[in-house]
Amino acid sequence: MSKANSTTIKSRKSDHVLAARKRQVEYSEPAGFDDVRFVHNCLPEMDFEGVDASAMFLGKRLSAPLIIVGMTGGYPGAEKINLKLAAAAEAEGLAMGLGSQRAMLEKPGLASTYKVRKAAPTIPLIGNIGGCQLSKYGVKKVRSMLDDVEADALAIHLNPLQEVCQPEGDKKFSGILAQIGIFARDLGLPVIVKETGAGISKEAAVQLKKAGAAMIDVSGAGGTSWSKVEYLRSGKKPVFSDWGNPTCECIANCSGVIETIASGGLRDGLDAAKSIALGASFAGAALPFLRAADPKKEAAEWKDSLKIAMLLSGSKNIAQLKKAALVITGRTAEGMERLGIDPSKYARR
Ligand SMILES: Cc1cc2nc3c(=O)[nH]c(=O)nc-3n(C[C@H](O)[C@H](O)[C@H](O)COP(=O)(O)O)c2cc1C
């Protein structure tokens, strides 16, 4: 890659973070959490202290099944952001993802912007690369990139919506599934396949499971809209700013197929609890942690709200939360029905 090109990646990365922090970059259509409510339990017969939200992720114990999902790295200002997020995850016992590490593959001097182990020696850490880049770099180079930052797993991100809306986007999407299969087989670390805000369908989840993905992160519609971010940069008419599968629908659709992380429009610990009751094993978010003045405080509040939702739904632990009764109405129930999922099964269990 030319020097001009790697400079472009760097400035695009900082443009993205700036837009995400300061501009209206979220979907107008919701992720669906307003359509989902727990059946309140007025007789929980347990103490708040006794609520156990802990969960195992990538062989490590989390104090709650929460992930600060991948956002940044690859330009000078990103190091401070990543270290702050990592310190929050370490202090609260959560997991964290790094942003796309393509920049450090192109310019090894940028590797330091992804190195967070000094702030977070014990957390499960997820490295990141784009599906479009897999064939270019190959398994060996990506494995050494992951070892360099001491990651426990690789997230391969799929972002066709963003790429087609980005003037300088990579518009070659053929052969990605086969590459995911090669990485899942040869990398020697778990492969998580994630979207970046437009969601994963059941059909795609089946294909990814077959290819050997250990897990998916649905990253559904309703949170950060990457087409909106690109429209802000290009000034084009925002035709596809609400394109995608809403997060709640994705969770209901995919979690029976493959172990699922829920992200995309989760904005507090109650949304995280609803995600798990809908079938996800873990819940994550990006924008709320990027925007938080104090990400550690934000993480602590998510955990607290998750535990309150557990108590009030009579769920002592995560296994019980997965079976808690939910009433699903509105657009989310309608979408589920059209996709062949009976929303009332969540209320009657
Ligand atoms: C500033 C920013 C940068 C992001 N960069 C990446 C990235 O490099 N790789 C990736 O897989 N996802 C990236 N994402 C997407 C998030 O991981 C997540 O899937 C998406 O933002 C939806 O979650 P949210 O609604 O909580 O923001 C980024 C998100 C934000 C806000």
Side-chain angles (χ1 to χ4, degrees):
M1 183 182 274
S2 68
K3 188 164 174 249
N5 229 345
S6 78
T7 312
T8 317
I9 297 183
K10 256 200 306 187
S11 67
R12 195 163 66 227
K13 290 272 146 203
S14 63
D15 284 357
H16 283 160
V17 168
L18 199 68
R21 272 193 160 147
K22 303 279 179 210
R23 309 285 297 272
Q24 204 307 85
V25 294
E26 292 184 272
Y27 277 77
S28 314
E29 298 288 348
F33 294 104
D34 290 347
D35 293 329
V36 179
R37 72 173 164 82
F38 283 102
V39 174
H40 173 62
N41 185 338
C42 64
L43 265 180
E45 285 296 321
M46 69 179 99
D47 301 336
F48 186 63
E49 288 292 294
V51 175
D52 175 14
S54 70
M56 291 299 288
F57 181 57
L58 301 173
K60 296 178 177 176
R61 183 156 290 280
L62 300 177
S63 71
L66 299 174
I67 307 169
I68 301 174
V69 293
M71 278 182 274
T72 198
Y75 70 97
E79 185 167 350
K80 201 172 145 196
I81 299 173
N82 272 336
L83 285 171
K84 208 168 162 184
L85 296 172
E90 181 75 30
E92 294 301 325
L94 312 183
M96 176 186 164
L98 298 168
S100 170
Q101 291 175 260
R102 179 184 179 189
M104 75 179 261
L105 288 173
E106 294 299 336
K107 221 171 167 216
L110 291 169
S112 62
T113 65
Y114 300 91
K115 289 190 177 174
V116 298
R117 280 300 185 197
K118 54 181 179 267
T122 70
I123 61 166
L125 182 68
I126 311 164
N128 191 299
I129 197 76
C132 294
Q133 275 94 50
L134 297 177
S135 63
K136 177 173 179 195
Y137 298 113
V139 171
K140 230 173 126 187
K141 213 165 171 191
V142 170
R143 177 61 201 248
S144 120
M145 168 197 94
L146 296 169
D147 290 342
D148 200 17
V149 299
E150 298 173 64
D152 300 294
L154 172 67
I156 296 173
H157 70 258
L158 305 176
N159 63 339
L161 171 64
Q162 180 183 15
E163 297 288 355
V164 291
C165 293
Q166 188 179 94
E168 64 275 52
D170 192 336
K171 295 177 177 62
K172 294 197 172 90
F173 306 107
S174 314
I176 293 178
L177 187 62
Q179 282 295 323
I180 290 172
I182 294 168
F183 272 70
R185 190 189 64 204
D186 297 341
L187 187 68
L189 286 174
V191 165
I192 299 167
V193 181
K194 75 185 286 294
E195 239 287 346
T196 51
I200 296 183
S201 66
K202 185 174 183 176
E203 293 67 29
V206 169
Q207 289 175 298
L208 293 168
K209 164 104 179 161
K210 222 166 141 192
M215 241 178 260
I216 59 167
D217 175 348
V218 295
S219 191
T224 305
S225 162
W226 281 98
S227 55
K228 258 190 191 174
V229 173
E230 295 303 340
Y231 290 131
L232 283 171
R233 293 178 67 233
S234 70
K236 283 192 180 163
K237 199 168 159 186
V239 181
F240 290 91
S241 59
D242 273 307
W243 176 277
N245 308 332
T247 300
C248 288
E249 194 181 285
C250 293
I251 304 167
N253 222 2
C254 297
S255 57
V257 175
I258 184 169
E259 182 143 57
T260 294
I261 299 168
S263 79
L266 280 68
R267 293 297 174 257
D268 52 43
L270 176 55
D271 290 346
K274 290 176 182 177
S275 299
I276 289 163
L278 280 167
S281 300
F282 305 95
L287 204 65
F289 292 98
L290 181 69
R291 286 185 172 171
D294 181 350
K296 180 185 164 328
K297 189 166 160 242
E298 181 75 15
E301 281 179 15
W302 277 62
K303 247 171 49 178
D304 193 48
S305 304
L306 170 68
K307 283 185 171 179
I308 292 173
M310 289 175 71
L311 179 98
L312 297 178
S313 61
S315 315
K316 237 185 197 118
N317 51 43
I318 296 297
Q320 289 184 3
L321 179 62
K322 277 200 164 211
K323 296 187 193 134
L326 291 176
V327 177
I328 305 172
T329 55
R331 183 173 166 262
T332 303
E334 207 177 306
M336 285 167 75
E337 274 165 2
R338 298 289 188 278
L339 290 166
I341 305 161
D342 176 9
S344 64
K345 77 176 183 193
Y346 293 87
R348 297 206 193 113
R349 54 192 187 180

